[in-house]
Amino acid sequence: MTPKMDSRLILEVKEPRTPEAEARCVREVLRQVQAGGLKNRTDYISFSRYICELLHKLEPRADVAYLGGDLSLDSIKALGLSGIDYEQQVLMSHQSG
């Protein structure tokens, strides 16, 4: 009997040098996650807004959090992303606006 896995995986997608490389990277990451049977257990994070938007577009049900710190919480919500991971000072600066 296979043990049940309850842990969530947090996968950070690093920022390649070009948007074309970012798109290839995202597609390959999603392919590998699917091939490994991990689609329903994987959350994604990235400092790249483009990567986050593309992840959300290609996997709308996936949790995708932005790390960049330059977007307001309203902007994150408008992009359809599920969250952020900002340093406390950065987060506090967005609450005043």
Side-chain angles (χ1 to χ4, degrees):
M1 185 168 163
T2 304
K4 184 177 181 199
M5 300 283 219
D6 292 329
S7 299
R8 302 284 307 160
L9 303 173
I10 308 298
L11 196 155
E12 181 177 351
V13 182
K14 298 293 187 176
E15 193 170 358
R17 295 183 189 263
T18 66
E20 296 81 13
E22 286 181 315
R24 283 192 310 272
C25 179
V26 166
R27 286 183 174 85
E28 181 60 20
V29 162
L30 292 174
R31 188 186 73 71
Q32 291 286 333
V33 167
Q34 176 71 28
L38 301 169
K39 182 177 174 179
N40 294 327
R41 293 184 43 220
T42 303
D43 299 332
Y44 302 91
I45 59 174
S46 183
F47 283 95
S48 166
R49 177 180 170 172
Y50 177 73
I51 286 174
C52 288
E53 289 180 83
L54 187 56
L55 283 164
H56 175 67
K57 178 181 176 182
L58 297 175
E59 282 294 336
R61 293 184 180 185
D63 285 330
V64 179
Y66 179 64
L67 307 176
D70 60 327
L71 297 177
S72 70
L73 300 178
D74 288 338
S75 296
I76 295 295
K77 185 176 179 180
L79 291 172
L81 305 181
S82 57
I84 57 166
D85 188 358
Y86 292 175
E87 293 179 348
Q88 185 175 359
Q89 286 181 318
V90 174
L91 179 62
M92 297 305 285
S93 73
H94 286 294
Q95 290 185 356
S96 63

